[in-house]
């Protein structure tokens, strides 16, 4: 039995989803934990409710719907495009609100018209909330993972630093820590003298030394990595520690992350930034401009949408659009979504499946209706 009541507007929501061509899908409350921890990282472990099966498999109470819906789609071997909706309880610890609450939303899987699908997701989220909160002004914040990744690549950083920045996108404190490290590299300590000497020299000698050490200590029988892999990791660690981003490049990245302006002005601002910096961002900017055009075609008021370059979500599978809907003047997020083209492949799909969707926070919507 649920510990909380279903919102009184749940039936209206399901009717609205059906009118938008979305098929309701149910997923078990008990889920395998591995996909969530693999996709969302170990940080999620502190916020979800874990248990084990009789066979020792790690299980959890369903913390969200996107991953279960995608897994169900893969298991059912259903063709695309498909539009799914869901409504049910999720369980995870939050800074504010109960740990058990209702969420609903729509996932678009396999729609190859990327810009149109992005625009439809934003439009649907706004229209559904507007129907539940008539007369209340809404605000939309939009970010773009693809644009951020293009800027990071244009800086010419080593792959390891690019990966760290991309994984931290949306986490302001973590991004700031990385920028401070890049501005003031710290020497690597803790290497044994013989390893420290070999790191700056012949890689084959380093591999041979690691191999001998592993054989002598008996570590090789239980090692999860080969001597070559260990040597590569050590050299990468040294390279990352020694990397310094010059002051001009740091200023450019900070300038990009500070961009915040109405969406109607964002395309021109991004193009101007790229020209001034000498960056080639053509592919990412083309996708951005196509989405703006698709939103305009739907009749959406672009003045209600703010583009914030630093807005993202620190999850590995986001690939482009990220957005959230709030009441104007109120920080409570009523809906959030984005594009996650990498997710289905990471979950085991045999082919790439483009995907975009959004979730509605029903307890917050219910509180707003009560006010």
């Amino acid at each position: 039995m649920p510990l909380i009541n279903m919102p009184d507007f749940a039936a209206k929501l399901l009717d609205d989803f059906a009118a938008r061509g979305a098929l309701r899908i149910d997923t078990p409350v008990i889920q395998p934990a591995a996909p969530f921890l693999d996709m969302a990282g170990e940080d999620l472990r502190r916020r979800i409710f874990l248990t084990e099966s009789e066979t020792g498999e790690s299980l959890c109470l369903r913390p969200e719907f996107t991953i279960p819906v995608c897994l169900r789609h893969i298991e059912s071997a259903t063709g695309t495009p498909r539009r799914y909706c869901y409504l049910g309880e999720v369980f995870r610890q939050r800074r504010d609100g109960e740990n058990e609450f209702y969420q609903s939303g729509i996932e678009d899987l396999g729609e190859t018209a990327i810009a149109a699908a992005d625009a439809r997701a934003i439009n649907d989220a706004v229209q559904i909330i507007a129907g539940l909160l008539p007369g209340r002004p809404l605000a939309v914040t939009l970010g773009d993972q693809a644009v951020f990744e293009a800027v990071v690549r244009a800086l010419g950083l080593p792959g390891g630093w690019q990966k760290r920045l991309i994984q931290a996108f949306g986490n302001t404190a973590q991004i700031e820590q990385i920028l401070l490290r890049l501005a003031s590299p710290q020497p690597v300590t803790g290497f044994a003298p013989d390893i420290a000497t070999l790191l700056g020299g012949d890689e084959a000698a380093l591999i041979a030394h690691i191999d001998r050490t592993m054989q002598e200590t008996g570590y090789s029988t239980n090692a999860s990595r080969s001597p070559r892999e260990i040597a590569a990791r050590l050299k990468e660690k040294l390279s990352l520690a020694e990397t310094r981003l010059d002051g001009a490049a740091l200023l450019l990245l900070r300038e990009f992350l500070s961009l915040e302006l109405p969406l109607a002005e964002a395309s021109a601002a991004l193009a101007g930034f790229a020209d001034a910096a000498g960056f080639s961002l053509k592919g990412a900017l083309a996708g951005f401009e196509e989405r703006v055009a698709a939103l305009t075609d739907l009749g959406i008021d672009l003045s209600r949408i703010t583009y914030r370059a630093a807005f993202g979500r620190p999850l590995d599978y986001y690939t482009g659009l990220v957005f959230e809907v709030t009441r104007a003047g109120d920080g409570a997020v009523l809906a959030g979504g984005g594009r996650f083209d990498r997710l289905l492949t990471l979950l085991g799909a045999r082919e790439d499946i483009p995907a975009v969707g959004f979730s509605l926070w029903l307890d917050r919507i219910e509180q707003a209706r009560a006010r």
Side-chain angles (χ1 to χ4, degrees):
M1 286 289 292
L3 299 179
I4 56 176
N5 294 323
M6 179 84 76
D8 60 6
F9 53 86
K12 174 176 169 39
L13 261 182
L14 293 176
D15 289 342
D16 206 344
F17 291 156
R20 296 169 191 275
L23 174 69
R24 186 178 181 184
I25 187 169
D26 291 317
T27 62
V29 170
I30 303 295
Q31 292 280 326
F36 297 99
L37 298 177
D38 291 344
M39 299 302 108
E42 287 298 312
D43 178 59
L44 185 64
R45 185 182 292 274
R46 295 182 290 105
R47 298 191 289 118
I48 65 176
F49 299 94
L50 291 161
T51 186
E52 281 191 358
S53 70
E54 292 181 352
T55 60
E57 179 189 11
S58 184
L59 302 173
C60 67
L61 292 176
R62 180 177 60 211
E64 53 98 48
F65 272 94
T66 298
I67 287 174
V69 168
C70 291
L71 286 170
R72 177 64 65 85
H73 175 80
I74 294 168
E75 291 165 2
S76 63
T78 306
T80 58
R82 298 285 287 184
R83 194 160 218 233
Y84 298 109
C85 66
Y86 56 84
L87 190 155
E89 293 163 287
V90 292
F91 307 82
R92 67 173 182 266
Q93 296 183 63
R94 299 186 289 174
R95 282 186 286 272
D96 60 324
E98 300 295 328
N99 297 332
E100 176 189 1
F101 52 99
Y102 279 94
Q103 272 196 330
S104 65
I106 293 177
E107 311 292 3
D108 265 318
L109 308 184
E111 177 53 69
T112 55
I114 301 300
D118 284 358
R120 181 168 67 168
I122 296 170
N123 191 47
D124 282 352
V126 170
Q127 286 192 349
I128 289 169
I129 295 174
L132 297 172
L133 300 173
R136 317 283 181 88
L138 302 175
V140 179
T141 301
L142 183 150
D144 194 312
Q145 176 87 25
V147 173
F148 177 72
E149 290 187 15
V151 170
V152 169
R153 285 194 297 269
L155 290 170
L157 285 166
W161 278 118
Q162 290 188 33
K163 184 177 180 181
R164 290 186 188 187
L165 280 165
I166 288 167
Q167 288 179 334
F169 183 51
N171 185 327
T172 303
Q174 195 173 351
I175 288 282
E176 184 59 31
Q177 288 177 357
I178 292 173
L179 295 184
L180 290 174
R181 284 283 306 277
L182 286 169
S184 304
Q186 301 296 317
V188 178
T189 59
F191 289 131
D194 47 357
I195 292 289
T197 301
L198 290 169
L199 275 173
D202 180 32
E203 184 174 356
L206 175 62
I207 294 170
H209 176 80
I210 293 171
D211 190 26
R212 284 196 304 273
T213 303
M214 291 172 69
Q215 297 290 344
E216 291 168 1
T217 59
Y219 179 72
S220 58
T221 57
N222 298 313
S224 59
R225 294 189 178 93
S226 68
R228 182 176 298 278
E229 290 171 326
I230 294 172
R233 289 289 296 273
L234 290 174
K235 291 182 77 69
E236 180 188 39
K237 183 178 180 180
L238 182 64
S239 173
L240 292 178
E242 293 176 342
T243 298
R244 182 188 185 94
L245 196 58
D246 67 67
L250 275 169
L251 283 174
L252 282 172
L253 186 51
R254 289 187 185 279
E255 179 187 346
F256 169 76
L257 291 171
S258 70
L259 289 175
E260 183 170 347
L261 66 168
L263 184 59
E265 304 169 16
S267 295
L270 287 171
F273 167 81
D275 288 342
F279 290 168
S280 177
L281 308 178
K282 289 182 179 178
L285 293 187
F288 190 95
E289 290 166 1
E290 287 174 13
R291 185 192 305 122
V292 172
L295 286 164
T296 303
D297 290 343
L298 287 176
I300 295 176
D301 182 1
L302 299 186
S303 67
R304 290 168 54 190
I305 303 179
T306 299
Y307 168 67
R308 183 152 59 89
F311 177 63
R313 292 195 179 89
L315 297 172
D316 284 350
Y317 55 77
Y318 277 103
T319 54
L321 167 74
V322 284
F323 74 95
E324 65 183 22
V325 183
T326 62
R327 281 202 312 160
D330 186 341
V333 177
L334 306 178
R339 175 157 292 280
F340 46 96
D341 291 345
R342 282 193 280 258
L343 180 57
L344 281 99
T345 305
L346 291 171
L347 291 175
R350 295 183 179 180
E351 58 185 20
D352 291 338
I353 299 176
V356 65
F358 63 89
S359 294
L360 303 171
W361 298 77
L362 302 192
D363 58 337
R364 295 173 184 171
I365 293 173
E366 192 170 34
Q367 290 165 12
R369 281 165 64 88
R371 288 197 291 269

